[in-house]
Amino acid sequence: MRGLRLWAHVGVLEEERQLGQWFELAFSLWHDLQPAGRSDDLSLSLDYALGIQALQAQARELRCLTLEHYAELVMDRLEQLYGPVPLRVEICKCQAPVQGFGGLVSVERWRHWPDPH
């Protein structure tokens, strides 16, 4: 899932937490989709709409300082919905309050990823 735009109250500056700002979120869930693909049975897949709705609700209530903490809360919420599946979350702050900077600031986090060693 990519391109989920959320208004949240996250930032180091007091103004960011009081007024809020736009974030763009992407998340990936790893799950064996072959049974769903072969049978066309939705119950064998993961319902991404549940994750989108849960993250929209979470963003409305959230107040925190860092993107890192926000990403942890997002992963916690996704894990509550889908269980301990491997997942990846990327959160981008759409307009970082850094003078002369027009790019994106983002944090990418992974959880339950197989250890390559």
Side-chain angles (χ1 to χ4, degrees):
M1 194 292 313
R2 290 182 293 219
L4 177 59
R5 288 183 54 88
L6 300 169
W7 186 265
H9 296 83
V10 178
V12 173
L13 302 177
E14 181 70 27
E15 179 179 293
E16 293 177 291
R17 291 188 312 279
Q18 285 185 358
L19 300 176
Q21 60 190 305
W22 285 109
F23 294 85
E24 189 165 309
L25 192 139
F27 67 86
S28 300
L29 306 167
W30 274 258
H31 180 72
D32 182 5
L33 298 176
Q34 185 176 15
R38 290 182 185 241
S39 67
D40 201 25
D41 182 348
L42 183 58
S43 71
L44 299 174
S45 189
L46 300 176
D47 186 348
Y48 59 83
L50 294 175
I52 291 169
Q53 292 165 352
L55 297 178
Q56 288 169 327
Q58 180 187 56
R60 287 190 290 272
E61 300 174 8
L62 183 68
R63 300 283 187 282
C64 65
L65 297 172
T66 65
L67 285 173
E68 293 83 353
H69 186 66
Y70 188 12
E72 283 294 318
L73 295 174
V74 166
M75 289 191 299
D76 290 346
R77 187 66 187 110
L78 292 172
E79 191 171 332
Q80 288 170 356
L81 289 171
Y82 302 111
V85 299
L87 61 98
R88 181 191 70 85
V89 168
E90 182 177 15
I91 300 177
C92 297
K93 184 183 284 194
C94 295
Q95 293 183 323
V98 178
Q99 189 172 359
F101 176 72
L104 298 175
V105 174
S106 68
V107 167
E108 184 176 15
R109 299 294 314 277
W110 304 76
R111 188 179 283 179
H112 302 298
W113 205 251
D115 185 359
H117 297 93

